[in-house]
Amino acid sequence: MTDLKTLWDTIKESFKNDVSSVTYENLIEPAKAISLSNNQLTIELPTPFHKDYWSESLTDKFRLYAFEATSTKIEPRYIIEAEEQTAPVMTASKPSFKVNTALNPRYTFDTFVIGKGNQMAHAAALVVSEEPGKMYNPLFFYGGVGLGKTHLMHAIGNKMSGVNSQTRVKYVTSEAFTNDFINAIQTGTQEQFRQEYRNLDLLLVDDIQFFADKEGTQEEFFHTFNALYEENKQIVLTSDRLPNEIPKLQDRLVSRFKWGLSVDITPPDLETRIAILRSKAKADQIDIPNDTLTYIAGQIDSNVRELEGALSRVQAYSHLNNATINTSLASDALKGLKLSGTSALTIPLIQEKVAGYYHISQTDLKGKKRVKQIVMPRQIAMYLARELTDNSLPKIGTEFGGKDHTTVLHSIDKIEELLQSDHNLQEDVQNLKMELKP
Ligand SMILES: Nc1ncnc2c1ncn2[C@@H]1O[C@H](COP(=O)(O)OP(=O)(O)OP(=O)(O)O)[C@@H](O)[C@H]1O
């Protein structure tokens, strides 16, 4: 992993899972990754206190997480803000590197393990890579986090580039597209932007749910889409939900996204998880017994990224302790690992907590009564079910006494809107989230 932002995000995520929220917010969140060179990552900290704290208390963890992420030993170097004016500064608003423009060579069809939850998506991806712009345009993958949507997208790009090195492929996240577009406006380079995005054979846009609410970007993307589509150029999109479930996505985009094929990816079953781990262990030359693979696969059931993270953690643990990998070592390595998998949290549990919080019965919460004291908690519970679990809108509707998915969508939209300004609601939702995901 060489992309500084991706590496830093991964390390921060590991810290987040390991330290208290107070420590995270006050001591880790303010840190900024500045540069990575010669296996040294320079971290900028706001005060000498932060520097001392990182040096004394966070360095070992940092080394572990960096190793887990890269399988390389990376040393931290701490500087205090303004201590080193010459260093290129990376901030959230103005990244000093270009995000995700290239294809990841590791994400190929060969390294993708096929299982029940992804076989349709895999088959569609393969068809598109062989006959781009013909059968399924656009191809739209949707599903929960870390299930291989990006991987398949890159696999299409890698395959097409492999067949013809002249293929013009562009991979962007929807955020990178937005940033490029804003930059083009600010610097008066819209024409260049259009050239860049409209003269392609394959455009891959990841996580398009982040287009929600971005009117200008949607407008530009609409024209980009049309230009490519009319030329029979292939477009592949991913999102965490179906196009019509993305709030505030223009109808004309929703309808265009439906022109092609939408296919979901669901979490892998145990067999597939073991196969994924085996394949990764082989690729990384990790010597690991079968029963240990089965043990790790049994610990994580909803997210392949976490599955890979667990394997890296076991590898790092064995490396740092100079011990052979076996199930007992894996169990020690994974002890205390707070998995962010959403599978443990169920809709009934959310209903129970929300009903308890607002002192109403679960029957009312799931029922049809239209009084305000019940409607609001019901909408909040639906909102939380969508935010904190992988359930689809129809499934949430079913769990709330058989409501239509448009009712669920309306409830979620309503809460999202109120959350913008209603401080009491913000506090309630925050409290409930803390109760549900301590
Ligand atoms: N079936 C699979 N076989 C092999 N590796 C997989 C498979 N599914 C996912 N992975 C790996 O899991 C990791 C996460 O996958 P990916 O980034 O593609 O997920 P995603 O669905 O795009 O998630 P997000 O919504 O968070 O972007 C990647 O390293 C990917 O290679």
Side-chain angles (χ1 to χ4, degrees), residues 312-378:
S312 299
R313 195 177 171 102
V314 170
Q315 184 195 15
Y317 198 83
S318 117
H319 191 87
L320 296 171
N321 290 295
N322 213 3
T324 314
I325 298 179
N326 56 28
T327 304
S328 132
L329 179 134
S331 151
D332 285 346
L334 301 184
K335 212 174 275 166
L337 182 67
K338 279 193 240 150
L339 300 166
S340 64
T342 48
S343 62
L345 198 55
T346 58
I347 297 176
L349 189 64
I350 291 173
Q351 290 168 333
E352 185 190 316
K353 289 278 179 207
V354 174
Y357 190 86
Y358 288 104
H359 306 292
I360 60 172
S361 74
Q362 286 187 56
T363 314
D364 277 345
L365 189 83
K366 291 189 267 181
K368 290 199 167 81
K369 283 190 193 157
R370 302 286 317 149
V371 289
K372 193 169 177 238
Q373 295 90 318
I374 294 171
V375 171
M376 182 64 104
R378 187 183 294 142

Side-chain angles (χ1 to χ4, degrees), residues 49-68:
F49 169 75
H50 283 83
K51 190 172 174 180
D52 288 345
Y53 189 86
W54 271 80
S55 307
E56 283 160 28
S57 307
L58 300 178
T59 298
D60 285 347
K61 284 181 196 278
F62 168 91
R63 287 195 188 111
L64 174 66
Y65 300 151
F67 186 84
E68 282 174 359

Side-chain angles (χ1 to χ4, degrees), residues 268-287:
D269 55 15
L270 180 67
E271 243 178 13
T272 315
R273 297 201 299 277
I274 296 171
I276 291 173
L277 283 175
R278 186 171 293 123
S279 149
K280 175 140 176 76
K282 191 168 168 217
D284 292 351
Q285 296 178 329
I286 305 171
D287 198 8

Side-chain angles (χ1 to χ4, degrees), residues 107 111-113 118 145-151 276 304-305 308:
Y107 290 174
T111 56
F112 192 81
V113 176
N118 62 33
V145 281
L147 295 182
K149 301 184 294 294
T150 307
H151 187 133
I276 291 173
V304 181
R305 189 176 294 117
E308 291 184 338

